[in-house]
Amino acid sequence: SSSSSSSSIQLVRPLDRNGKTVNDRWTTKECELAMTLFRDSVDSVHDAITTQLRRLSGDLLAHQDGLLGCAGLSLCLASFDLHARQALNAQWTLPTLENQPKEQPKEQPKE
């Protein structure tokens, strides 16, 4: 009985992701069909994602200068934050400003 069930399984050489036959392996027709459907689905999703990313990059092109400015500002602020954290962790003495007397406004000369 086991020999009759094993003889009904048809083995084929599988295909790799590039569609080339892998000569040192075997698989069933059902498994290879499922893998082909999977690879086709992956290709479709890849194409859809590529299309959407190209559309998005085109939409963002008009905002390129602002985005670059924001990225630069973000880098500066992150550097300040990390520097301050390191200073606190190392228990550095942080500089302070002395209180300066406020200047009295100068009187306007009378005409």
Side-chain angles (χ1 to χ4, degrees), residues 24-39:
D24 63 342
R25 302 235 163 73
W26 292 97
T27 188
T28 64
K29 282 187 174 185
E30 294 82 9
C31 184
E32 187 57 29
L33 176 61
M35 288 302 299
T36 299
L37 293 172
F38 175 76
R39 285 189 291 265

Side-chain angles (χ1 to χ4, degrees), residues 18-83:
N18 299 314
K20 293 182 181 177
T21 302
V22 180
N23 289 321
D24 63 342
R25 302 235 163 73
W26 292 97
T27 188
T28 64
K29 282 187 174 185
E30 294 82 9
C31 184
E32 187 57 29
L33 176 61
M35 288 302 299
T36 299
L37 293 172
F38 175 76
R39 285 189 291 265
D40 291 346
S41 296
V42 168
D43 289 342
S44 295
V45 169
H46 177 268
D47 293 344
I49 290 172
T50 300
T51 299
Q52 290 300 317
L53 287 175
R54 286 192 175 136
R55 184 189 60 75
L56 178 62
S57 68
D59 292 346
L60 291 176
L61 192 57
H63 307 285
Q64 182 177 6
D65 291 341
L67 290 170
L68 288 173
C70 288
L73 179 61
S74 175
L75 180 63
C76 289
L77 293 175
S79 296
F80 294 153
D81 178 61
L82 292 173
H83 185 77

Side-chain angles (χ1 to χ4, degrees), residues 98-106:
E98 293 181 10
N99 289 333
Q100 300 289 329
K102 292 184 181 178
E103 257 186 56
Q104 298 296 326
K106 294 181 182 176

